[in-house]
Amino acid sequence: MAKKPLSEWTDAELQNLADNYERGGVVVGGLYPLSDILLEQRRMFAPPEAPVARVFNIILDQSRRSADGLTTYGELYAKLFPGKEWLGNAPRVLMSKILDGVIGYCVDKGMPLVSILVVRQSTRCLDPSAKKEIVRVAKSLGVDVGDSETFLDRQIEAAKELARRGVS
């Protein structure tokens, strides 16, 4: 009997598989490796206004138009949800989930992690919690991050270069 493709599993079934790995403290050994399950979950999560391929392209476009090659959470949010004000904590949580999905998309496509180009407006830098999240998600998807600061620096440069030259 052939195993059911991950794309046919429900959200609850995928979460159950991921939870089983977490409880066991392993990343392989089931029907699918944990990284494949997490990638599928990220593919499935996307508000209608923010499918991951669209967000990926918006980040690259905004980076290309920016003097420093970066964009902000607020700029991205305004593009995805025009006319919707950023109020409270909910938009931050939503943007975090959307950007985690973009990381999955990038890993899946073998592209630099373009979500690394989305920064706080006040500093135009990634804050430490964003850095930790990017590294955590990349690791969970099977990316060898090695030294995290070196990994992040390389990803920033590769993502900026991708924005400059465009996706072919």
Side-chain angles (χ1 to χ4, degrees), residues 46-122:
E49 309 91 332
V52 291
R54 178 172 180 248
V55 178
F56 174 86
N57 288 321
I58 290 170
I59 293 169
L60 289 178
D61 183 58
Q62 289 180 331
S63 169
R64 193 172 18 263
R65 295 170 188 264
S66 169
D68 62 3
L70 303 171
T71 188
T72 68
Y73 295 102
E75 291 166 342
L76 181 59
Y77 183 83
K79 183 75 174 179
L80 293 172
F81 307 102
K84 213 171 177 185
E85 197 173 344
W86 184 299
L87 294 172
N89 199 38
R92 186 194 63 74
V93 172
L94 175 62
M95 292 303 292
S96 178
K97 286 184 179 184
I98 290 170
L99 292 172
D100 283 357
V102 172
I103 293 172
Y105 180 84
C106 293
V107 169
D108 200 29
K109 302 289 184 192
M111 302 279 204
L113 307 183
V114 303
S115 57
I116 204 163
L117 301 176
V118 183
V119 298
R120 287 184 166 207
Q121 182 177 346
S122 59

Side-chain angles (χ1 to χ4, degrees), residues 2-75:
K3 61 182 176 180
K4 178 168 79 169
L6 280 174
S7 60
E8 295 178 10
W9 292 65
T10 66
D11 290 342
E13 290 171 327
L14 289 170
Q15 189 58 53
N16 186 51
L17 290 173
D19 291 346
N20 287 341
Y21 276 111
E22 184 154 332
R23 277 192 294 278
V26 295
V27 295
V28 294
L31 289 173
Y32 298 94
L34 178 59
S35 59
D36 288 356
I37 295 163
L38 296 174
L39 273 172
E40 186 60 33
Q41 285 182 310
R42 281 166 176 77
R43 280 187 203 107
M44 293 175 71
F45 170 80
E49 309 91 332
V52 291
R54 178 172 180 248
V55 178
F56 174 86
N57 288 321
I58 290 170
I59 293 169
L60 289 178
D61 183 58
Q62 289 180 331
S63 169
R64 193 172 18 263
R65 295 170 188 264
S66 169
D68 62 3
L70 303 171
T71 188
T72 68
Y73 295 102
E75 291 166 342

